Structure formats: structure tokens, C-alpha cells
Amino acid sequence: MKRILAVALACTSIIATAAEPAPDVSLTRLDCGRATEPWPLDSFDDTGGADGMKKAIVGSCYLIRHGERLMIWDTGIDPATSGDPDGGFFLDRTLVDQLAQLGIAPADIEFVGISHYHYDHTGQAKDFPQATLLIGKEDWQAITHDPPLGNANPAHFPAWVSGKAKVEAFAGDKDVFGDRSVKILATPGHTPGHHSLLVRLPESGPVLLTGDLAHFTANYEREGVPTYNTGRADTLASFDRFKKMAKNLGAKVIIQHEPADVAKLPAFPKAAH
């Protein structure tokens, strides 16, 4: 009898666990800068496919809610460089200001995910020094190398470089919350540790954020490789993987610098669910 009761209780526990609702997942687009003027695009395709083209581009960052847990994906430019012609971006509002409008303080952010080490994706990371930094292993090595490699800037990561905050520097993919709802995807080539992001939304379906795998629509369609990418073969392999995932999952693709793509998501402060 005791054994039967134990089995029954175990089954009840399994059923109860299976019946627990999955955490609500949402995606909010955040403003992380806009081009001060249309950018010449010649260097964005090493085959000449973008020669003579110019385009107004944007910088975009994202807030991911996983139940009560919060993650930021990319952090835009440093506000101190806003309007600098060398940087080429103007920032209207900081991430901290935008999050405050949602009732979120910097200390509420559990994870800061970085697609790659370029300045327009890392500039406000330092405003979240209590968060765990999620970044590709090779990119973190570039940031912490003496001297830094490429144009990686350790000044954007003071809490993590000093060891005062936690870093998860990983090769390959990263399942952020352990339930496949938010997955950081290895897409090297733009930088050695470049990553993209998959967010599975319960209502509107999967969304794929490119990072800088591509910078604008024609660049994505033609699989243009910028002249300054660190690995041409890696870039093309990453395009192949990303596009096959988008097709197989039926995902909405958001090219993070493409205004038309960013506009596929609800305007701030609304979120996609």
C-alpha cells in the first residue's frame, strides 16, 4: 500500500509540474541610436554589391522579459559620443531612461547579452554593473587582451573586466533561461565571437535578431560580407545557419540596423508577446 501511495504521489507531482504555466516571454524594442546622416555602404559588401549606396540606419537594443527575469540584448552607443561625426550616431534617450519609463531600474536587469564587441553595441553596458554579462568567448578575449584586439573597448565593461561582476563567456550557443525560449546563437564572422539571438514568443512566434550578421535588407538578401569582418568563410556559414533556422522555425527576422525591420516590432513602450 505504501509503495502504491508513493507512486501515486510521484505521478501527481509530475503532472502538477507539467501543468505549471510557462513563464510569459516578451520582447520590447529600445532606441539605441540613429545615424547622424546616411551612411556610405561600400565597405559593407566586399564584392562591390553596395558600392555607391547610402542608407539611414538605426541602432537598436532589446528588453526580454522571462516571467519576472529581465535581460537586455545589446546596449547601443555611449551617450558621451552622441553626435560625434566619427561615431556616426545620435542618441535621443539612454537605455536607463527608457527602462525607467517601464518601471525598471538598472539593478533589476539579470543579464546583459552582447552580440559583439563593436562600440555601437556595447556603449551602455557599464550602466548595468550588477548584471551577468553574456558574451562570446572569442569577443571577451579580444576585450580583455593586452592590448585589446580589433576595436574592442574594455572601458565599456569596467565591472566585468575588474572581476567585480559575473561574466559568462561561451563558445557556441547559450540557452539563457534553460527552457529554449531565449537562445543566444553562435554566428561568427563579423567578429570572432559574434552571436545572434532567438526569442520564442508565446503569441507571435519566434523572432531572430541578427546582431550585425547583416546591417540592412539588401545586405542580408545578398549575404554581403563587410570588408572589415574578421572571417569571410565564417560569415557565409553563419548566414547559411541563420537563414535555415529562420525558414525552419518560421521566424520573424529583425536586422538590428534596418529601420524597416525594427518597425516590425511594436513601438516602445509596447512589447511583442
Side-chain angles (χ1 to χ4, degrees), residues 54-76:
K54 289 187 177 183
K55 184 173 178 60
I57 65 172
V58 298
S60 62
C61 305
Y62 301 86
L63 170 70
I64 297 97
R65 291 182 184 265
H66 183 275
E68 299 300 315
R69 304 172 75 182
L70 302 175
M71 171 183 170
I72 294 289
W73 176 251
D74 281 341
T75 66

Side-chain angles (χ1 to χ4, degrees), residues 241-256:
R241 183 195 187 199
F242 188 94
K243 287 187 171 184
K244 284 178 178 175
M245 288 189 72
K247 181 179 179 181
N248 292 338
L249 296 174
K252 179 183 295 181
V253 172
I254 305 295
I255 302 168
Q256 291 183 217

Side-chain angles (χ1 to χ4, degrees), residues 9-254:
L9 289 172
C11 290
T12 301
S13 176
I14 292 170
I15 292 169
T17 301
E20 289 178 3
D24 183 37
V25 178
S26 68
L27 179 66
T28 304
R29 79 188 214 206
L30 301 169
D31 176 19
C32 273
R34 52 187 170 85
T36 53
E37 60 184 26
W39 277 23
L41 302 179
D42 303 52
S43 65
F44 286 78
D45 188 334
D46 65 5
T47 68
D51 284 1
M53 294 175 59
K54 289 187 177 183
K55 184 173 178 60
I57 65 172
V58 298
S60 62
C61 305
Y62 301 86
L63 170 70
I64 297 97
R65 291 182 184 265
H66 183 275
E68 299 300 315
R69 304 172 75 182
L70 302 175
M71 171 183 170
I72 294 289
W73 176 251
D74 281 341
T75 66
I77 67 165
D78 185 336
T81 68
S82 178
D84 185 339
D86 291 334
F89 282 101
F90 183 84
L91 187 69
D92 292 303
R93 297 179 66 196
T94 67
L95 283 178
V96 171
D97 286 343
Q98 292 172 76
L99 293 173
Q101 186 175 335
L102 300 173
I104 298 170
D108 297 329
I109 302 300
E110 182 178 357
F111 297 110
V112 170
I114 298 295
S115 63
H116 64 295
Y117 59 62
H118 288 162
Y119 74 99
D120 54 320
H121 294 257
T122 64
Q124 296 170 74
K126 58 184 176 291
D127 293 329
F128 307 94
Q130 77 301 319
T132 296
L133 181 69
L134 305 177
I135 190 167
K137 180 179 179 181
E138 297 88 346
D139 275 24
W140 185 242
Q141 290 172 340
I143 292 166
T144 56
H145 191 273
D146 186 15
L149 302 177
N151 58 359
N153 188 352
H156 290 166
F157 303 94
W160 301 281
V161 170
S162 66
K164 294 178 180 178
K166 183 179 179 182
V167 180
E168 291 187 23
F170 48 89
D173 297 348
K174 170 74 176 178
D175 185 350
V176 178
F177 298 103
D179 61 1
R180 300 176 65 247
S181 62
V182 181
K183 193 170 185 180
I184 300 175
L185 305 170
T187 49
H190 186 60
T191 62
H194 182 277
H195 282 74
S196 304
L197 188 71
L198 168 64
V199 182
R200 299 177 190 265
L201 298 174
E203 297 177 14
S204 51
V207 175
L208 279 166
L209 304 175
T210 58
D212 273 4
L213 175 62
H215 294 77
F216 51 95
T217 301
N219 188 234
Y220 179 78
E221 293 173 346
R222 298 171 183 170
E223 301 183 5
V225 179
T227 57
Y228 52 88
N229 274 23
T230 59
R232 193 175 203 283
D234 283 343
T235 302
L236 294 175
S238 293
F239 266 122
D240 181 66
R241 183 195 187 199
F242 188 94
K243 287 187 171 184
K244 284 178 178 175
M245 288 189 72
K247 181 179 179 181
N248 292 338
L249 296 174
K252 179 183 295 181
V253 172
I254 305 295

